[in-house]
Each structure stands twice: as structure tokens, then as C-alpha cells.
Amino acid sequence: MWRFDVIIFAHCSLAMVAFGNMTNTTAPPTIITTSSVPVQVTKELPLLLAKLLPTPTTPTVQRADDDDDDDEKISLRGRRLKAVTILEDPYVMRKVTDAGETYSGFVIDILKELAGTLGFSYDLYLVPDGTYGAPKGNSTWSGLIGQVIQKHADVAVAPVTISSTREQVVDFTNPFMDLGAGLLIRKPEPEGTSLFAFLLPFNSRVWFSILGALFGTAILLYVTSRIRYKCNVGDQSYDNDAKFNFKNSLWLTYWSIVRKGGEPAPRSLPSRILAGAWWFFTLIVISTYTANLTAFLTVKRLVAPIKSIDDLSGQSAIPYSVTYGTFLYSFFESQVGTGSVYERMWYTMKANNRFPISSMAGVEMVRNEEFVLIEETPFLEYAVRTDKNCGLMLLGKPFLFKGYGFATGRGSPLKKPLSVGILKLQESGRMSELRDRWWPKDGCPLDGQSSNVKSASALGLDIFLGVFYLLAGAAVMAIIITAVQVIYTRFCKGEDKLQALKERRASFMNNRQRRESINPNLH
């Protein structure tokens, strides 16, 4: 049956072609064998079928770049955004006046620059719970992140740390600031001054070497002078060899090193060679000692009890913690079960349970007690630089490097234009100018060490206490020696001196009587 339909369809097609084109063909016919019965079909049949059948259309393939092109066409000009922020010096600071509340800070300056460049306006409000955002037990978030997720705000403009956990629930713009985590502590008291601080420029080995050189030079001076004197070498009346006993030789080496003159003076050639070399030696020693003594007495060194994150985790005397509800709080909390040093620190912080409610509250805890605050380095640098009493310092090197960005909703079209605006501020150098406005460069030193000569304090009595003790000891020794000599002379040699006095008196009387006998007129 179907063979008959094909034949009918073919003949009808030929008739339609002949009627439509009104032309004849002389080419040999093409034979399509569909059965044992041959069917003659002209070559116009395929063309006719092509005209009768609908032309297939090529499906339009949506390129992956189309979404990006659409994002580039998104304009914020004329839009009014609802932005949420948090109070954090120097990023966002509030000032209440009669006219109302005004906000200023580094983040506010960035927001103003973006609004002016992209042409949008905004309504700004503070996050109700005063936190940056952390996951809750019921699969919700608190703080700034929670406000964006719940669509209460279009964007969170604050120093929000970009993390993998937050990136799963919100989108972040390009980071406008890079950062790390640091340690803040109250500046310790300067290292205690030793009782014998004047000995600090040289170590004990140098002092004993100088003392040995002093005695060695004195012995050598005594020996050479004594040999010359015994052998009658040189001019004995001029060379002073006889005067250089061991006591005088030791005295010469001593007064030479303290830069004072004395007797006897070396006159022989060997004595002068030895004394000249000793004087040059003492010149170098005294000059070096004076230079080092100045540095040791005027520069007070700070000895920090903690120098790194490992030192902090390995001690329990000084408590430490992070600010509640921040990225660092979530980070340490997420380390449970990892077996890392951060897990051990989290359990310690959890046991102490001293999480400050804000970063500035943590700074006040550091000022008032022995406490270490773990916080992002930009805020810590600001706190140290602007401290009125310069009583804070940073410890160790930063760790856990991240970035700050603005948070928008997942899939929000605001992300790309805000990111492009931030990149333009960074490329033009405007971002650096805004940062320098809020982070002073000439504030308090970050490491607590002061290199300013004007801030050097006057030297106290404790610096010279050892010298006073040395002088007092010498005075007491002189008094004791004098008393011993007087007592020995008075009681041990008193009879001999009395007998000698009687003999001198008797001799005087005899001489007088002799003179009177010779010349009676003396009376």
C-alpha cells in the first residue's frame, strides 16, 4: 500500500513542478528503487521536497560571557541603597550633634567616593546587635552578615573580613584592604637597672682580661726595672729604676687607666716602651667603654614576655582572647577537632571566658590589666599609634592574612559595580590617600621602643648606685686601714717609741748641760 502512495506522491510532485516552473528537462531520469517495481523520478524532486519541508533553525547558544556583559551594563546611577555598618575606629565613627548624627571614618570616605563615582545615594544604619556576623545554631547569621542575608540591607559597608564560611552565604566585593592577625599588649616596664650598671658595657670576660693585663703590665714593669737596677744598667740617678717596686708599678698602671697622673715617672727606655703601649691600650679601652656606657645608660630596653603566637599559646600567666562575633572568633571556634595550636588556644579562651564585646573594649582591657588582645593588624596599628600615653605595643609578626570587603546578597548585581569602583580607587592612588588620613605615620612606635631623643628620661640614682657603693666601700676600707695602723702603732710599737723618746730627751739634756758647762753665760 505504501508503494502506491510513494508513486502517487511522486507524480503529484512532478505535476506541481511542471505547473510552477513551466519548463521541461532533457536529463536522464534518476531511478530510486523502493521495491521490485522501478519508479522514475526527475532531479527536481529533492528541490521540491526542500521547498515543502520547513527549514530547521539553528538554536541560539547563550554564551557564558552574556552574564558578564549584562553585569557591566548594570548602573547604580540614581539608585538609593540601604547600607548597614558597625562602629569601629577608625573605620566608622559616630558624632552626635544638635543637628543629628553624623558618621566619619575610613569606610565612610570610601562609601562617599563610590557614591560620587557610581552616582547612587544611600541610607546608613547601625547593625542592631553590634557584631560583624557569626553563624547561629538555627542556620541563621547574626550581625552584618545576618542583615544582608535577611535582605534588611542591600550592602554591608564595614571592615568585614572575607572568609570561606561567609563567602558561602554572601558575596564580597574586591578587598579594599589587606590585613593579618596580630597581638596587642600593654608596654612592659623597662628592664630593671643592675646595681653595677657601670659594668654593663663590657661582659665579664672582657673585664677579667683588662684586669689581667693591668697586673701583667705592672709585674713586667717591676721585673724589668728591678733587673736593670740590680745589674746597674743605665744612669741610676735618672732612670728611676730603684723607685719601681711592685707597689709603684701597680700604681702606675692604675692611674694610667683612669687618666690621672702620678709618680714615679718611667724614664728608662724599656719602661717608656712598656708604659707607652699600656697608655695606648687604655686609650682604646676607655673610649670604647665611654661610648657603650652612654648607650646602656640612656636607652631603656623593653623585654616583652611574649614574642610570638607560639609563646602566647604555651603560657598561662597572661590571659588572651578575641573580640566576640568577629571573624577571628569564628575562626578559632572552627578549629575544634583539628589538633592545631589554634584549637588549644580556643579552649583556653573559652575557659577564661573573657571575650570583649568590641575591639575598643578589648583595648581598654589591655590598658588596665595583663591581657593580650588578638585582633586584625590595621585596627591594632591605629590603637597603638593614637594611644595618648604610648603604653601599647604589638607583639611578633602578623599571621592569618585576609582582606576586608563589602558584603552583598548572593547573586546581587551590586557586587560588580562596587568592585570596579574599589579597583579604580586603588589604581588611582585615592585609596592610599584615604588610608593615610586615618592612620598617622608619626604616632607612637608599634614595637614600644622609643627612638626619640626628646622623650628620653633623666637618669635616676639607680643607674649610679653601684658607683656610690664602690666609693663608700673604698672610704670604709681607708678608715679601717687607718684605724688598724693607729692601733698597731699605739699599742704594739708604743714602748719602743717611748724608749726612743726618752733616749732622745736624755741626749738633749746631756748636750745642754755640756754647753752650759763650757759657757756659763748662757743662763
Side-chain angles (χ1 to χ4, degrees), residues 231-516:
C231 296
N232 197 18
V233 177
D235 188 357
Q236 295 296 327
S237 61
Y238 175 77
D239 289 344
N240 281 343
D241 288 334
K243 296 182 179 180
F244 275 97
N245 54 23
F246 181 73
K247 181 181 69 174
N248 289 337
S249 299
L250 187 61
W251 175 246
L252 182 143
T253 55
Y254 174 74
W255 63 250
S256 298
I257 203 169
V258 295
R259 318 301 297 167
K260 295 296 180 182
E263 290 292 339
R267 294 179 180 177
S268 65
L269 182 60
S271 300
R272 287 184 173 181
I273 293 176
L274 189 59
W278 174 250
W279 289 339
F280 180 77
F281 172 82
T282 58
L283 174 65
I284 301 301
V285 170
I286 294 301
S287 300
T288 307
Y289 173 81
T290 304
N292 283 353
L293 182 65
T294 303
F296 270 90
L297 296 184
T298 56
V299 177
K300 294 184 177 181
R301 302 176 182 270
L302 298 179
V303 180
I306 299 170
K307 298 180 180 179
S308 65
I309 190 70
D310 295 328
D311 295 342
L312 182 64
S313 62
Q315 59 85 41
S316 58
I318 303 178
Y320 54 89
S321 186
V322 296
T323 305
Y324 178 79
T326 59
F327 157 72
L328 289 175
Y329 180 91
S330 301
F331 169 77
F332 280 100
E333 187 179 22
S334 64
Q335 297 301 304
V336 175
T338 60
S340 63
V341 64
Y342 301 125
E343 179 186 9
R344 185 168 67 250
M345 295 177 65
W346 169 253
Y347 284 128
T348 303
M349 291 186 289
K350 196 70 174 177
N352 294 332
N353 195 22
R354 303 187 61 188
F355 299 102
I357 60 175
S358 66
S359 300
M360 288 307 299
V363 173
E364 290 300 324
M365 294 174 64
V366 173
R367 287 195 182 105
N368 299 328
E369 56 184 297
E370 290 292 332
F371 183 78
V372 176
L373 177 65
I374 307 175
E375 189 57 84
E376 279 91 355
T377 50
F379 171 77
L380 296 183
E381 291 177 3
Y382 173 79
V384 174
R385 292 286 191 191
T386 59
D387 188 55
K388 295 181 179 179
N389 300 322
C390 290
L392 304 175
M393 64 180 292
L394 297 182
L395 297 176
K397 297 180 179 180
F399 63 97
L400 202 63
F401 294 94
K402 293 289 182 178
Y404 284 151
F406 295 159
T408 63
R410 291 288 291 175
S412 173
L414 303 178
K415 173 185 175 181
K416 186 155 190 176
L418 291 177
S419 297
V420 172
I422 290 175
L423 289 176
K424 289 182 179 179
L425 291 178
Q426 293 173 339
E427 293 170 356
S428 64
R430 181 59 178 166
M431 190 72 75
S432 299
E433 295 177 3
L434 298 179
R435 178 187 171 92
D436 294 340
R437 180 186 301 176
W438 297 101
W439 274 267
K441 296 181 179 180
D442 55 352
C444 301
L446 299 178
D447 59 355
Q449 303 286 353
S450 177
S451 59
N452 189 2
V453 178
K454 295 181 180 180
S455 63
S457 58
L459 299 179
L461 183 61
D462 55 338
I463 299 293
F464 302 98
L465 200 57
V467 180
F468 280 100
Y469 282 164
L470 183 63
L471 179 60
V476 172
M477 184 179 296
I479 294 174
I480 293 176
I481 292 176
T482 302
V484 170
Q485 289 178 343
V486 169
I487 293 173
Y488 177 77
T489 303
R490 174 76 87 171
F491 296 98
C492 298
K493 293 186 176 181
E495 296 181 357
D496 297 338
K497 288 188 176 183
L498 182 60
Q499 184 65 29
L501 181 61
K502 290 180 179 180
E503 292 176 358
R504 287 198 301 270
R505 185 175 182 180
S507 177
F508 175 77
M509 294 301 295
N510 292 334
N511 292 335
R512 183 177 180 182
Q513 290 177 0
R514 190 182 303 112
R515 288 194 301 271
E516 289 178 353

Side-chain angles (χ1 to χ4, degrees), residues 189-243:
E189 293 295 331
E191 188 178 15
T193 305
S194 173
L195 181 62
F196 298 99
F198 61 92
L199 299 177
L200 292 177
F202 296 152
N203 58 28
S204 58
R205 186 176 181 181
V206 175
W207 280 117
F208 282 115
S209 299
I210 294 174
L211 189 62
L214 186 146
F215 278 97
T217 304
I219 293 174
L220 188 59
L221 183 61
Y222 164 71
V223 171
T224 55
S225 299
R226 186 56 53 182
I227 292 175
R228 283 173 52 82
Y229 176 73
K230 292 293 184 181
C231 296
N232 197 18
V233 177
D235 188 357
Q236 295 296 327
S237 61
Y238 175 77
D239 289 344
N240 281 343
D241 288 334
K243 296 182 179 180

Side-chain angles (χ1 to χ4, degrees), residues 69-126:
D69 295 339
D70 293 340
D71 287 342
E72 292 179 357
K73 297 177 182 179
I74 294 176
S75 175
L76 299 182
R77 190 167 302 279
R79 291 191 57 179
R80 190 169 190 85
L81 305 180
K82 194 171 184 180
V84 61
T85 187
I86 187 172
L87 293 179
E88 188 76 74
D89 296 350
Y91 303 98
V92 179
M93 295 177 288
R94 178 175 57 182
K95 183 178 181 180
V96 180
T97 61
D98 296 337
E101 296 181 349
T102 58
Y103 296 94
S104 62
F106 179 50
V107 168
I108 300 301
D109 289 347
I110 296 176
L111 183 60
K112 291 179 179 179
E113 291 286 338
L114 294 176
T117 303
L118 302 177
F120 65 87
S121 59
Y122 57 89
D123 294 324
L124 190 65
Y125 73 96
L126 295 177

